[in-house]
């Protein structure tokens, strides 16, 4: 597609936060200021923005209701998941519970353990767009070492009950690792109330941060389970002292940092941290509950309008199953062509796994939702109409 068909023009309706969230204005402004006022001056001014990482960690900890020592800032979801998959000490016969039709980022790290360590994967089937508690319970056994779950399925939008998952894991002592990229920032996730062990989430979707930034949570007491050799020199306490405290501080025998931040390593995306900190601050100012309530209202209107238009809503709608994703299909028209037509009209949605996915955020205007529903109610040029 070209600018003439709408892809390169400002969208009339942006409904694809499950694909790539729009970087929020405070985040963009903060990064723009850093680029103009700090970066051209190198180390003379870089110290002004280094504190953004600590600020982002603190705000992320408040969002997750945990200690800042339990949070690391990572580039993306995959990095966090690999810290767990590659960091745990596995033995032949260990089992990992995974979920069918989950996003590949939360499957490939665990599949690699089969060949490397003789770990067995136990699969939970996707049924009617979601996962049944009985199927999850049946996959868990005495050899289950870890359950690798996505809080929200990337395609259907089904939300897993993490409290139930933890309750099922507890009797066998299984760890719970959550890919939260499709939930964090849209739905509350309290690690104080829900005893998951690990959480990984890129910030480029619902958190409104820049691509290349993300969060990793490791529950206190679980960090020693990970062979988390730092990715760089800054994973040790006092690493920076040699650059600021004079003679006698150049040492190799430094202790590892005590918190999850030890995995962050060396030089990082400082500009990204500036944007992430600003995005998290804005989200915190709104409040997790207010965000979720707004999203629930918008997705409810979408479900109502789609059903009235003869579309098949594929996303489960139970009180505990909804999320910011509403996916649907059209028995009358080709989905891929329909998405192309919507994008050409400036209505941005996505098309994962053969479903049209709509994902509004707290900041989505209700008029954007109505624009989509109005477009779907009328004729679609270029679509393959089916009897």
């Amino acid at each position: 597609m070209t600018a003439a068909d709408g892809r390169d023009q400002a969208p009339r309706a942006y409904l694809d936060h499950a694909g790539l969230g729009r970087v929020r204005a405070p985040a963009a402004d903060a990064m723009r200021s850093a680029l103009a006022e700090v970066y051209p001056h190198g180390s003379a001014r870089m110290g002004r923005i280094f504190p953004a990482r600590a600020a982002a960690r603190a705000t992320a900890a408040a969002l997750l209701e945990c200690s800042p020592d339990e949070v690391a800032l990572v580039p993306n979801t995959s990095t966090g998941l690999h810290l767990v998959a590659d960091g745990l000490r596995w033995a032949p016969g260990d089992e990992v519970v995974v979920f069918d039709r989950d996003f590949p980022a939360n499957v490939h790290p665990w599949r690699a353990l089969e060949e490397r360590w003789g770990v067995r994967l136990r699969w939970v089937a996707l049924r009617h767009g979601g996962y049944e508690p009985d199927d999850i319970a049946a996959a868990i056994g005495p050899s289950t070492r870890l359950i690798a779950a996505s809080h929200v399925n990337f395609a259907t939008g089904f939300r897993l009950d993490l409290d139930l998952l933890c309750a099922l894991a507890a009797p066998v002592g299984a760890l719970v690792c959550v890919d939260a990229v499709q939930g964090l920032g849209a739905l509350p996730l309290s690690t104080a109330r829900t005893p998951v062990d690990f959480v990984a989430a890129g910030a480029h979707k619902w958190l409104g941060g820049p691509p290349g930034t993300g969060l990793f949570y490791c529950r206190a007491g679980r960090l020693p389970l990970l062979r988390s050799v730092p990715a760089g020199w800054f994973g040790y306490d006092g690493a920076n002292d040699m650059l600021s405290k004079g003679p006698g501080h150049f040492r190799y025998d430094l202790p590892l940092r005590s918190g999850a931040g030890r995995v962050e390593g060396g030089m990082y995306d400082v500009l990204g941290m500036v944007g992430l900190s600003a995005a998290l601050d804005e989200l915190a100012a709104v409040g997790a509950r207010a965000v979720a309530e707004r999203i629930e209202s918008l997705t409810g209107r979408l479900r109502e309008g789609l059903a009235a238009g003869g579309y098949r809503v594929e996303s489960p709608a139970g009180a505990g199953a909804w999320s910011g994703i509403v996916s649907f299909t059209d028995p009358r028209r080709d989905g891929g062509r329909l998405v192309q037509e919507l994008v050409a009209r400036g209505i941005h949605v996505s098309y994962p796994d053969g479903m049209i996915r709509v994902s509004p955020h707290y900041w989505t205007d209700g008029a954007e939702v109505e624009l989509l529903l109005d477009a779907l109610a009328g004729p679609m040029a270029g679509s393959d109409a089916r009897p």
Side-chain angles (χ1 to χ4, degrees), residues 99-276:
F99 293 75
D100 187 32
R101 313 303 292 183
D102 199 353
F103 195 75
N106 198 28
V107 173
H108 288 318
W110 317 110
R111 289 183 67 242
L113 301 176
E114 289 185 294
E115 181 175 348
R116 191 181 308 167
W117 300 108
V119 171
R120 180 185 177 190
L121 299 188
R122 298 289 301 270
W123 291 85
V124 179
L126 182 74
R127 303 183 193 276
H128 311 295
Y131 303 101
E132 299 292 336
D134 287 347
D135 288 339
I136 300 173
I140 297 171
S143 298
T144 301
R145 182 81 184 284
L146 181 140
I147 302 171
S150 286
H151 191 190
V152 173
N153 183 273
F154 79 103
T156 71
F158 174 78
R159 177 175 22 141
L160 267 176
D161 184 340
L162 296 181
D163 291 314
L164 173 63
L165 199 66
C166 291
L168 292 172
V172 297
L175 299 167
V176 176
C177 181
V178 179
D179 176 341
V181 73
Q182 291 294 4
L184 198 61
L187 302 168
L189 173 52
S190 169
T191 60
R193 294 190 297 271
T194 302
V196 297
D197 299 287
F198 309 104
V199 176
H204 61 289
K205 297 182 186 288
W206 301 95
L207 290 171
T213 62
L215 315 176
F216 173 65
Y217 162 81
C218 178
R219 183 169 293 279
R222 299 306 191 195
L223 192 59
L225 297 178
L226 304 181
R227 292 170 293 185
S228 51
V229 176
W233 67 280
F234 206 64
Y236 299 86
D237 279 333
N240 201 44
D241 290 350
M242 68 173 181
L243 301 177
S244 60
K245 292 189 176 181
H249 289 91
F250 187 96
R251 297 172 50 190
Y252 295 120
D253 59 338
L254 298 173
L256 286 172
R257 292 173 64 184
S258 59
R262 74 168 61 165
V263 305
E264 293 172 356
M267 180 51 72
Y268 57 97
D269 181 1
V270 182
L271 186 64
M273 287 299 104
V274 170
L276 177 61

Side-chain angles (χ1 to χ4, degrees), residues 291-310:
V291 169
E293 289 175 351
R294 170 70 175 159
I295 292 173
E296 184 177 18
S297 175
L298 292 171
T299 55
R301 171 62 186 131
L302 279 167
R303 291 175 183 277
E304 174 188 81
L306 289 168

Side-chain angles (χ1 to χ4, degrees), residues 313-345:
V313 177
E314 305 289 352
S315 299
W322 69 271
S323 70
I325 293 173
V326 177
S327 294
F328 68 96
T329 55
D330 185 353
R332 303 156 297 188
R333 290 177 284 199
D334 175 73
R337 297 286 295 278
L338 181 54
V339 169
Q340 288 180 340
E341 176 63 17
L342 289 170
V343 172
R345 295 187 183 196

